[in-house]
Amino acid sequence: MASLLSVTANSLSFPSTPFKGNIKTLMPKPPSSLCVPLKVQHRNKPPQLTVLNQAASASASATVGSGPVTNVRFRLNNLGPQPGSRKRGKRKGRGIAAGQGNSCGFGMRGQKSRSGPGVRKGFEGGQMPLYRRIPKLRGIAGGMHAGLPKYVPVNLKDIEAAGFLEGDEVSLETLKKKGLINPSGRERKLPLKILGDGELSKKLNFKARAFSTSAKEKLEAAGCTLTVLPGRKKWVKPSVAKNLARAEEYFAKKRAAAAASDSTSA
């Protein structure tokens, strides 16, 4: 019986079908007992470069893969931020699932919760803002150019204590050498002005841009020589300079005529 079944099974033939593959491949295969995940490494991908900045070493050390590599030049294919140096910005207003809640920290209503540029800095809804409510200060404290210093002031008592000898010259350079003044910043371009606080017992030669009234009286009484240095002329347009020169010539003629009339009358 078994031999008869084997003969009939071998002699059976399946009818012709349009399927041209192997029927055995369609049979279910038993699962493998061990599945090992494999990591595929792309060799054409550029390696990741990390440059470590060490102050103790003269040259930076670079790490490519696992082994250290030195003298690696920066190229367009290895430029990039360091890991962890850049973070993604919060995408607000993208729904409750974005992680910031329903209103995303903008509140329920108002101009600041709407899209757009919002309000400018210092704006308080139309009322008088704080920077206009506070009292204003005069001079440089209030931001005015008129309050800036125009001279480097020095008093007579400081000049007396500086140790100048009889007949010495007192100017901006000699005061710097004595250590009496040490201008810095904007004050380095300012001229010298002598003030009258204190007394002077020596005859000195002063060269400064300006003298206060009390200082001028004290120095002339002490027999000092005063030299007023000319200042830098302010630039004016040529037409204005021409008019100023014409006015100066006119008033000079008037003064000369008045002096001549006084001399003839006397």
Side-chain angles (χ1 to χ4, degrees):
M1 185 67 182
S3 62
L4 180 61
L5 291 174
S6 62
V7 171
T8 56
N10 294 331
S11 62
L12 288 176
S13 61
F14 295 95
S16 61
T17 60
F19 180 73
K20 297 182 180 182
N22 191 0
I23 300 179
K24 294 181 179 180
T25 59
L26 300 178
M27 300 298 292
K29 295 181 180 180
S32 59
S33 60
L34 181 62
C35 296
V36 180
L38 299 178
K39 292 183 179 180
V40 180
Q41 295 182 356
H42 300 281
R43 295 185 178 275
N44 55 357
K45 185 178 180 181
Q48 185 179 2
L49 178 65
T50 305
V51 178
L52 304 177
N53 186 9
Q54 299 178 357
S57 60
S59 61
S61 62
T63 305
V64 179
S66 60
V69 179
T70 58
N71 298 330
V72 177
R73 299 185 62 183
F74 285 107
R75 300 293 186 185
L76 291 178
N77 63 338
N78 57 23
L79 289 179
Q82 293 296 318
S85 63
R86 297 178 65 87
K87 294 183 179 180
R88 286 176 176 264
K90 285 188 178 181
R91 300 179 71 245
K92 292 198 170 187
R94 301 300 186 271
I96 301 177
Q100 291 90 29
N102 189 17
S103 58
C104 302
F106 292 111
M108 295 289 291
R109 288 176 295 275
Q111 186 178 3
K112 293 184 180 180
S113 67
R114 266 74 176 187
S115 62
V119 296
R120 70 174 189 272
K121 293 182 179 180
F123 184 70
E124 298 182 11
Q127 69 179 14
M128 189 63 66
L130 177 65
Y131 66 89
R132 295 183 63 187
R133 292 198 302 268
I134 58 177
K136 308 302 183 291
L137 302 176
R138 297 183 62 185
I140 186 60
M144 303 299 291
H145 184 74
L148 292 174
K150 300 178 178 59
Y151 300 98
V152 177
V154 178
N155 284 292
L156 294 180
K157 62 180 181 180
D158 299 328
I159 299 175
E160 179 71 21
F164 284 98
L165 301 178
E166 192 80 16
D168 285 349
E169 178 183 322
V170 179
S171 61
L172 200 61
E173 291 75 14
T174 57
L175 292 176
K176 288 179 183 179
K177 292 179 181 179
K178 291 283 186 179
L180 197 60
I181 58 174
N182 186 20
S184 62
R186 181 181 174 274
E187 295 181 354
R188 291 181 294 181
K189 297 182 179 180
L190 297 181
L192 177 63
K193 183 175 182 178
I194 306 298
L195 304 181
D197 187 10
E199 298 292 336
L200 189 65
S201 60
K202 302 172 185 176
K203 292 183 180 181
L204 303 175
N205 299 326
F206 285 86
K207 291 184 178 180
R209 176 73 63 82
F211 297 88
S212 66
T213 306
S214 59
K216 191 172 184 180
E217 293 176 356
K218 292 180 180 180
L219 293 176
E220 289 177 350
C224 298
T225 305
L226 307 183
T227 304
V228 180
L229 299 177
R232 185 178 63 179
K233 291 184 179 180
K234 185 179 179 180
W235 183 88
V236 292
K237 293 193 297 185
S239 58
V240 177
K242 186 177 180 180
N243 293 336
L244 291 175
R246 190 178 301 171
E248 184 67 25
E249 184 180 356
Y250 171 77
F251 287 112
K253 289 181 179 180
K254 287 195 69 174
R255 287 193 295 267
S261 62
D262 291 341
S263 62
T264 54
S265 62

